[in-house]
Amino acid sequence: KEIFYLNGKLVPRDQAKISLLDYGYLYGYGLYETVRAYGRKPFRLDNHLARLKFSGQKLGILVHPAVLRDAVKDVIKANKFPQTRLRISVSAGEGSMTPNLASCELPTMAVLAMEYAPIAPEKYTDGYKVITSGIPRNSHSPVVYHKTTNTMENMLARQGALRAGADEAIFINEKGYVTEAAGSNLFIVRNGALLTPKFEAGILPGVTRVVVFELATQLGI
Protein backbone atom coordinates (compact mmCIF):
# COMPACT_ATOMS: atom_id res chain seq x y z
CA LYS A 1 0.00 0.00 0.00
CA GLU A 2 1.10 3.54 -0.67
CA ILE A 3 2.27 5.52 2.34
CA PHE A 4 0.87 9.05 2.67
CA TYR A 5 1.70 11.96 4.95
CA LEU A 6 -1.18 13.53 6.88
CA ASN A 7 -0.81 16.23 9.52
CA GLY A 8 2.54 15.17 10.89
CA LYS A 9 2.28 11.40 10.44
CA LEU A 10 3.10 8.80 7.81
CA VAL A 11 0.10 6.50 7.38
CA PRO A 12 -0.99 3.77 4.94
CA ARG A 13 -3.30 4.99 2.22
CA ASP A 14 -6.40 3.33 3.72
CA GLN A 15 -5.82 5.06 7.07
CA ALA A 16 -5.49 8.58 5.66
CA LYS A 17 -8.75 10.23 6.76
CA ILE A 18 -9.91 13.83 7.09
CA SER A 19 -12.88 15.43 8.82
CA LEU A 20 -16.11 15.91 6.92
CA LEU A 21 -15.97 19.49 8.19
CA ASP A 22 -12.63 20.12 6.51
CA TYR A 23 -12.98 23.18 4.27
CA GLY A 24 -11.10 21.46 1.48
CA TYR A 25 -13.91 18.88 1.39
CA LEU A 26 -16.84 21.18 2.22
CA TYR A 27 -15.99 24.11 -0.02
CA GLY A 28 -12.94 23.22 -2.10
CA TYR A 29 -11.03 25.79 -0.04
CA GLY A 30 -7.54 24.46 -0.43
CA LEU A 31 -4.40 24.46 -2.53
CA TYR A 32 -2.31 21.74 -4.11
CA GLU A 33 0.85 21.07 -6.07
CA THR A 34 1.74 18.06 -8.21
CA VAL A 35 5.42 17.16 -8.18
CA ARG A 36 7.41 14.48 -10.00
CA ALA A 37 10.35 12.81 -8.28
CA TYR A 38 13.21 11.07 -10.06
CA GLY A 39 14.40 8.44 -7.60
CA ARG A 40 14.48 10.40 -4.35
CA LYS A 41 14.86 13.79 -6.01
CA PRO A 42 11.65 15.86 -6.34
CA PHE A 43 11.81 18.14 -9.38
CA ARG A 44 11.67 21.88 -8.64
CA LEU A 45 10.21 21.31 -5.17
CA ASP A 46 11.26 24.74 -3.91
CA ASN A 47 9.42 26.40 -6.81
CA HIS A 48 6.27 24.44 -6.04
CA LEU A 49 6.43 25.26 -2.33
CA ALA A 50 7.05 28.94 -3.06
CA ARG A 51 3.95 29.08 -5.26
CA LEU A 52 1.98 27.24 -2.58
CA LYS A 53 3.07 29.70 0.11
CA PHE A 54 2.32 32.72 -2.08
CA SER A 55 -1.19 31.45 -2.84
CA GLY A 56 -1.74 30.63 0.83
CA GLN A 57 -0.90 34.20 1.79
CA LYS A 58 -3.31 35.56 -0.81
CA LEU A 59 -6.19 33.22 0.09
CA GLY A 60 -5.77 32.99 3.85
CA ILE A 61 -4.48 29.40 4.07
CA LEU A 62 -1.55 28.74 6.40
CA VAL A 63 1.29 26.97 4.56
CA HIS A 64 4.47 25.63 6.20
CA PRO A 65 7.02 25.05 3.39
CA ALA A 66 9.70 23.59 5.70
CA VAL A 67 7.26 21.04 7.13
CA LEU A 68 6.03 20.06 3.67
CA ARG A 69 9.58 19.79 2.31
CA ASP A 70 10.46 17.25 5.02
CA ALA A 71 7.14 15.46 4.48
CA VAL A 72 7.87 15.05 0.76
CA LYS A 73 11.29 13.54 1.49
CA ASP A 74 9.80 11.17 4.07
CA VAL A 75 7.03 10.03 1.72
CA ILE A 76 9.46 9.39 -1.14
CA LYS A 77 11.72 7.38 1.18
CA ALA A 78 8.81 5.38 2.63
CA ASN A 79 7.35 4.36 -0.74
CA LYS A 80 10.59 3.50 -2.57
CA PHE A 81 9.14 4.02 -6.06
CA PRO A 82 11.64 4.35 -8.95
CA GLN A 83 9.77 7.51 -9.93
CA THR A 84 7.03 9.11 -7.86
CA ARG A 85 4.03 11.28 -8.58
CA LEU A 86 3.41 13.45 -5.52
CA ARG A 87 0.45 15.61 -4.65
CA ILE A 88 0.91 18.17 -1.89
CA SER A 89 -2.41 19.41 -0.52
CA VAL A 90 -3.11 22.10 2.06
CA SER A 91 -6.64 23.09 3.02
CA ALA A 92 -7.90 25.72 5.44
CA GLY A 93 -8.68 22.87 7.84
CA GLU A 94 -11.70 21.93 9.89
CA GLY A 95 -14.23 24.69 10.49
CA SER A 96 -17.89 25.48 11.04
CA MET A 97 -20.52 24.19 8.63
CA THR A 98 -21.54 27.80 8.01
CA PRO A 99 -18.77 29.26 5.80
CA ASN A 100 -16.39 31.23 7.99
CA LEU A 101 -12.65 31.00 7.38
CA ALA A 102 -11.98 32.34 10.88
CA SER A 103 -13.44 29.13 12.31
CA CYS A 104 -10.56 27.09 10.83
CA GLU A 105 -7.78 26.92 13.40
CA LEU A 106 -5.26 24.54 11.83
CA PRO A 107 -4.61 23.71 8.17
CA THR A 108 -4.87 20.14 6.90
CA MET A 109 -1.57 19.16 5.26
CA ALA A 110 -1.16 16.03 3.16
CA VAL A 111 1.36 14.53 0.77
CA LEU A 112 0.10 11.70 -1.45
CA ALA A 113 2.34 9.40 -3.46
CA MET A 114 1.77 7.12 -6.43
CA GLU A 115 4.26 5.39 -8.68
CA TYR A 116 4.81 7.62 -11.71
CA ALA A 117 3.77 6.20 -15.06
CA PRO A 118 5.63 8.05 -17.86
CA ILE A 119 3.76 9.29 -20.92
CA ALA A 120 3.86 6.77 -23.78
CA PRO A 121 6.78 7.59 -26.17
CA GLU A 122 4.48 7.70 -29.21
CA LYS A 123 2.58 10.63 -27.66
CA TYR A 124 5.63 12.80 -28.24
CA THR A 125 5.53 12.03 -31.97
CA ASP A 126 1.79 11.61 -32.53
CA GLY A 127 0.85 14.59 -30.39
CA TYR A 128 -2.36 15.38 -28.52
CA LYS A 129 -5.73 16.24 -29.97
CA VAL A 130 -7.17 19.42 -28.48
CA ILE A 131 -10.40 21.38 -28.62
CA THR A 132 -11.38 24.80 -27.31
CA SER A 133 -13.66 24.67 -24.30
CA GLY A 134 -17.04 26.37 -24.22
CA ILE A 135 -16.35 27.34 -20.60
CA PRO A 136 -14.87 30.87 -20.61
CA ARG A 137 -11.80 31.64 -18.50
CA ASN A 138 -12.37 34.72 -16.33
CA SER A 139 -9.17 36.76 -16.19
CA HIS A 140 -10.66 38.91 -13.40
CA SER A 141 -11.23 35.97 -11.05
CA PRO A 142 -8.99 36.04 -7.95
CA VAL A 143 -8.94 32.23 -7.99
CA VAL A 144 -7.71 31.54 -11.53
CA TYR A 145 -4.13 32.55 -10.71
CA HIS A 146 -3.80 29.96 -7.93
CA LYS A 147 -3.68 26.15 -7.97
CA THR A 148 -6.77 25.53 -5.84
CA THR A 149 -8.46 22.24 -5.03
CA ASN A 150 -11.64 23.63 -6.57
CA THR A 151 -11.01 22.38 -10.12
CA MET A 152 -14.59 21.91 -11.29
CA GLU A 153 -14.21 24.04 -14.44
CA ASN A 154 -11.01 22.23 -15.44
CA MET A 155 -12.60 18.84 -14.90
CA LEU A 156 -15.69 19.77 -16.92
CA ALA A 157 -13.50 21.06 -19.75
CA ARG A 158 -11.35 17.91 -19.73
CA GLN A 159 -14.38 15.62 -19.72
CA GLY A 160 -15.86 17.61 -22.60
CA ALA A 161 -12.65 17.07 -24.55
CA LEU A 162 -12.67 13.33 -23.88
CA ARG A 163 -16.30 13.05 -25.01
CA ALA A 164 -15.33 14.86 -28.22
CA GLY A 165 -12.54 12.38 -28.88
CA ALA A 166 -9.78 14.81 -27.88
CA ASP A 167 -7.13 14.65 -25.17
CA GLU A 168 -7.23 18.18 -23.80
CA ALA A 169 -9.27 21.39 -23.78
CA ILE A 170 -8.02 24.95 -24.19
CA PHE A 171 -9.69 27.83 -22.35
CA ILE A 172 -10.51 31.16 -24.02
CA ASN A 173 -10.96 34.15 -21.74
CA GLU A 174 -13.79 36.69 -21.74
CA LYS A 175 -11.85 38.88 -24.19
CA GLY A 176 -11.46 36.08 -26.72
CA TYR A 177 -7.79 35.37 -25.99
CA VAL A 178 -6.24 31.94 -25.57
CA THR A 179 -5.17 31.30 -21.96
CA GLU A 180 -4.22 27.75 -20.94
CA ALA A 181 -5.32 24.14 -21.16
CA ALA A 182 -7.32 22.29 -18.53
CA GLY A 183 -4.21 20.65 -17.10
CA SER A 184 -1.27 22.54 -18.52
CA ASN A 185 0.16 25.83 -19.70
CA LEU A 186 0.16 26.50 -23.42
CA PHE A 187 2.95 27.35 -25.86
CA ILE A 188 2.72 27.96 -29.59
CA VAL A 189 5.52 27.88 -32.16
CA ARG A 190 5.07 30.54 -34.84
CA ASN A 191 7.72 31.62 -37.37
CA GLY A 192 10.49 30.10 -35.29
CA ALA A 193 9.42 31.88 -32.10
CA LEU A 194 7.95 30.34 -28.96
CA LEU A 195 4.83 32.20 -27.78
CA THR A 196 2.77 31.83 -24.62
CA PRO A 197 -0.18 33.79 -23.21
CA LYS A 198 0.52 36.62 -20.80
CA PHE A 199 -0.03 35.99 -17.10
CA GLU A 200 -2.75 38.67 -17.06
CA ALA A 201 -4.86 36.66 -19.53
CA GLY A 202 -5.92 34.45 -16.63
CA ILE A 203 -3.41 31.63 -16.34
CA LEU A 204 -1.70 29.67 -13.62
CA PRO A 205 1.99 30.64 -13.25
CA GLY A 206 3.19 27.14 -14.08
CA VAL A 207 6.45 25.78 -12.69
CA THR A 208 7.10 23.92 -15.96
CA ARG A 209 6.31 27.17 -17.82
CA VAL A 210 9.28 28.77 -16.06
CA VAL A 211 11.47 25.79 -16.98
CA VAL A 212 10.49 26.24 -20.64
CA PHE A 213 11.49 29.91 -20.44
CA GLU A 214 14.89 28.94 -19.02
CA LEU A 215 15.53 26.26 -21.63
CA ALA A 216 14.40 28.49 -24.49
CA THR A 217 16.79 31.21 -23.32
CA GLN A 218 19.67 28.73 -23.13
CA LEU A 219 18.88 27.47 -26.63
CA GLY A 220 18.59 30.95 -28.11
CA ILE A 221 14.89 30.57 -28.94
Side-chain angles (χ1 to χ4, degrees):
K1 296 179 181 178
E2 296 89 357
I3 302 298
F4 292 171
Y5 168 92
L6 180 62
N7 294 333
K9 297 180 180 179
L10 290 177
V11 295
R13 175 181 174 175
D14 59 1
Q15 294 180 27
K17 313 291 183 182
I18 64 169
S19 167
L20 291 178
L21 292 175
D22 188 284
Y23 270 32
Y25 174 77
L26 279 181
Y27 302 114
Y29 208 101
L31 301 164
Y32 78 98
E33 295 286 332
T34 303
V35 182
R36 178 178 177 179
Y38 299 83
R40 293 191 178 184
K41 296 181 179 179
F43 184 68
R44 295 288 176 120
L45 179 60
D46 287 344
N47 298 82
H48 284 284
L49 293 177
R51 182 171 65 180
L52 196 66
K53 182 178 180 180
F54 174 80
S55 293
Q57 291 171 337
K58 291 293 184 180
L59 301 178
I61 299 174
L62 189 60
V63 175
H64 298 285
V67 173
L68 292 171
R69 184 179 295 107
D70 289 341
V72 165
K73 294 178 181 178
D74 291 343
V75 166
I76 292 173
K77 183 178 179 180
N79 285 282
K80 299 182 175 63
F81 296 134
Q83 296 190 62
T84 309
R85 177 184 174 90
L86 299 155
R87 177 182 164 118
I88 305 168
S89 298
V90 182
S91 77
E94 186 175 348
S96 62
M97 192 177 297
T98 302
N100 181 4
L101 200 59
S103 68
C104 301
E105 297 183 2
L106 294 172
T108 296
M109 297 187 293
V111 179
L112 285 60
M114 296 287 177
E115 186 169 5
Y116 179 78
I119 296 172
E122 57 268 21
K123 273 295 183 181
Y124 289 98
T125 53
D126 297 344
Y128 278 77
K129 295 179 180 179
V130 300
I131 64 170
T132 53
S133 174
I135 302 171
R137 178 62 88 210
N138 180 8
S139 65
H140 300 292
S141 169
V143 178
V144 73
Y145 300 101
H146 305 282
K147 202 172 181 73
T148 72
T149 55
N150 190 335
T151 61
M152 185 71 76
E153 286 188 350
N154 297 61
M155 289 184 67
L156 289 172
R158 176 67 66 81
Q159 291 304 309
L162 295 176
R163 286 194 299 270
D167 300 295
E168 180 63 297
I170 295 173
F171 288 109
I172 310 297
N173 70 14
E174 77 284 357
K175 299 175 183 178
Y177 289 107
V178 168
T179 60
E180 61 186 358
S184 57
N185 286 121
L186 184 67
F187 287 82
I188 298 171
V189 176
R190 180 185 292 168
N191 298 327
L194 192 61
L195 310 178
T196 191
K198 292 182 178 180
F199 177 68
E200 294 79 9
I203 69 169
L204 185 74
V207 171
T208 303
R209 182 173 182 266
V210 174
V211 174
V212 173
F213 286 155
E214 294 173 359
L215 294 175
T217 299
Q218 293 173 18
L219 296 169
I221 298 173

